[in-house]
Amino acid sequence: MNMVEETVLEIDLQALEHNYHYLRSKINKDTLFLGVVKAFAYGSDSVAIAKKLEALGANYLAVAYTYEGVVLRDAGIKLPILVLHPQRVQYTTLIERCLEPSLYSPTMLTSFLQTAKALKQSNYPVHLKLNTGLNRIGFSENEVDFIADQLKGAQQIKVTSILSHLAASEDLSEKAFTLSQIATFERISKTLTSKLDYQPLKHILNTSGIINYPEAQYNMVRSGIGLYGYGNEASEDAKLIPVATLKTIVSQIHHIGPNESVGYNRGFISNSPMVTATLPIGHADGIGRVYGNHKGHVWINEQLAPIIGNVCMDMLMIDITEIDCKEGDEVIVFGKNHSADKMASYSNSISYELLTGISQRIRRVYLDN
Ligand SMILES: *Cc1c(COP(=O)(O)O)cnc(C)c1O
């Protein structure tokens, strides 16, 4: 047990290593592995995670926005970086920093080609995103001829990969839909590559795709949440280790009588004598007001304690009447022992949202060999 003296997000790089090897063991040896490090590597620290993934032998990284890739380049990351959702205004920056755009619409393809010409590029790596049913971003099937037309004789860019994204890979009741997405991907990418004189990589699987549809791994897989220790189902969670553990500390304990109120707007009223603890973490840190009033619980001395009253900006209060603890004791908000999935479920949310919402003001500390 590493005791803490303030609120910290503990990042266990050994856990990342374990998860990486576990996910790799699910795919063929020659399938490439792309680590998704968008949104501060799911709220942890994109630079620390990217460096570790680079050392572990990952083949590719992905971020959502261009600036996230710039941060990685500034930190000296050399792996190819796919930018999943770039905008036109960022094209020059993308090229200057060797970031590879996912081009998802005719407008994006035409305008990127223009920029690549203006900047005298040759064979600049780009990726083509196909919409196979998520209906978020991506080319539709009837745009394949347009793509082929644009690419004809366009030496400035080269299609490194063709990708798509699954809408419900974690939900086996949607298996028929997922299989139809995979079939659509197969069909569109075949038509597209028949019009090129080279073979781009293909990829469609995210973490739950790796677990549930390994037969569709093609040349590469893209994993985010699994690397961070969550598998979207209990049996997979059991084989993964949470990378981020959000820890805080008991700042002060109060013994209050019946009919006393706790917190802003007197959100909680006691009906008997009780003991409360105040923690230095609040909605500005990513633990939203939705967790207040007995929805959320935190883990303290091997027990769950409910959050009482309204969550403040920088503090929250918990009921420790039945829990043996003292000022200075460690509290786990989520992570090992109390998963982010479980914590998120108290607010009808998912691990992804809770993890990525953890504020940058919380100090990151690292565990590694
Ligand atoms: C975020 C994202 C992923 C990673 O998904 P996980 O479920 O976290 O593994 C993969 N591909 C795309 C296009 C994404 O946006």
Side-chain angles (χ1 to χ4, degrees):
M1 192 62 129
N2 300 275
M3 293 305 289
V4 298
E5 297 176 297
E6 60 181 335
T7 303
V8 295
L9 188 70
E10 188 182 270
I11 298 167
D12 183 349
L13 296 168
Q14 289 300 119
L16 179 72
E17 181 164 344
H18 167 89
N19 299 336
Y20 174 79
H21 289 307
Y22 174 71
L23 292 161
R24 269 232 104 120
S25 78
K26 296 268 176 190
I27 56 173
N28 301 330
K29 280 219 158 52
D30 54 357
T31 300
L32 302 177
F33 191 101
L34 176 153
V36 180
V37 295
K38 63 192 178 190
F40 299 102
Y42 289 43
S44 58
D45 174 338
S46 64
V47 169
I49 300 289
K51 283 189 173 157
K52 185 74 180 180
L53 288 173
E54 199 165 55
L56 288 170
N59 306 96
Y60 246 93
L61 297 172
V63 292
Y65 305 150
T66 302
Y67 187 67
E68 298 179 298
V70 170
V71 169
L72 297 178
R73 287 287 179 248
D74 283 346
I77 300 296
K78 297 286 187 293
L79 279 178
I81 300 174
L82 168 59
V83 178
L84 294 164
H85 198 172
Q87 300 297 337
R88 289 170 66 166
V89 69
Q90 301 151 355
Y91 283 167
T92 308
T93 306
L94 275 169
I95 292 176
E96 280 171 3
R97 306 311 302 269
C98 288
L99 302 169
E100 305 179 9
S102 156
L103 301 176
Y104 49 84
S105 69
T107 321
M108 293 299 280
L109 175 57
T110 323
S111 55
F112 191 80
L113 198 47
Q114 271 171 8
T115 305
K117 277 181 186 157
L119 297 181
K120 303 198 166 30
Q121 298 299 303
S122 75
N123 291 322
Y124 194 87
V126 303
H127 304 257
L128 297 178
K129 177 78 169 278
L130 307 179
N131 174 20
T132 55
L134 180 58
N135 288 322
R136 195 170 69 170
I137 51 173
F139 289 98
S140 55
E141 187 156 18
N142 62 21
E143 288 164 339
V144 168
D145 287 337
F146 174 86
I147 298 173
D149 227 43
Q150 290 290 302
L151 292 177
K152 209 169 287 161
Q155 252 76 70
Q156 294 82 8
I157 62 174
K158 179 159 189 191
V159 181
T160 300
S161 85
I162 301 175
L163 68 149
S164 188
H165 194 39
L166 298 172
S169 59
E170 72 279 22
D171 182 356
L172 291 177
S173 71
E174 292 291 359
K175 186 164 187 176
F177 182 80
T178 302
L179 293 177
S180 83
Q181 275 199 276
I182 293 168
T184 304
F185 180 62
E186 180 77 33
R187 192 174 65 240
I188 310 181
S189 56
K190 210 171 235 166
T191 315
L192 193 53
T193 47
S194 74
K195 294 170 192 283
L196 298 173
D197 52 14
Y198 55 91
Q199 289 289 311
L201 302 171
K202 292 195 229 172
H203 47 115
I204 191 169
L205 300 184
N206 65 340
T207 300
S208 289
I210 296 170
I211 291 161
N212 296 323
Y213 303 93
E215 67 280 6
Q217 62 191 270
Y218 295 100
N219 312 104
M220 183 154 80
V221 297
R222 308 184 302 268
S223 179
I225 200 76
L227 285 175
Y228 305 106
Y230 296 94
N232 295 327
E233 57 171 289
S235 67
E236 291 301 321
D237 286 346
K239 294 174 190 129
L240 296 162
I241 307 173
V243 166
T245 298
L246 181 56
K247 296 179 169 181
T248 186
I249 181 172
V250 174
S251 291
Q252 192 176 15
I253 288 177
H254 292 282
H255 293 260
I256 63 175
N259 264 313
E260 287 204 55
S261 64
V262 176
Y264 284 134
N265 305 101
R266 310 192 67 202
F268 175 79
I269 308 280
S270 60
N271 48 29
S272 52
M274 63 182 291
V275 190
T276 71
T278 302
L279 314 180
I281 186 165
H283 63 71
D285 300 294
I287 305 303
R289 281 171 58 95
V290 65
Y291 289 99
N293 299 306
H294 282 81
K295 279 242 178 76
H297 290 67
V298 297
W299 185 254
I300 173 166
N301 289 345
E302 312 295 311
Q303 287 182 73
L304 282 175
I307 297 172
I308 55 175
N310 290 312
V311 172
C312 314
M313 188 186 296
D314 321 300
M315 285 174 246
L316 56 81
M317 282 69 87
I318 57 175
D319 179 354
I320 53 161
T321 308
E322 305 296 332
I323 298 174
D324 178 26
C325 65
K326 57 185 189 310
E327 289 174 359
D329 278 1
E330 177 178 293
V331 180
I332 292 181
V333 182
F334 65 72
K336 292 168 189 156
N337 298 320
H338 183 223
S339 80
D341 218 36
K342 177 82 186 155
M343 181 67 178
S345 72
Y346 302 136
S347 72
N348 290 321
S349 186
I350 55 174
S351 57
Y352 296 79
E353 185 182 20
L354 179 60
L355 291 169
T356 57
I358 296 312
S359 155
Q360 290 298 305
R361 81 170 172 180
I362 293 181
R363 205 161 65 82
R364 271 63 176 163
V365 298
Y366 304 87
L367 299 181
D368 203 0
N369 287 345

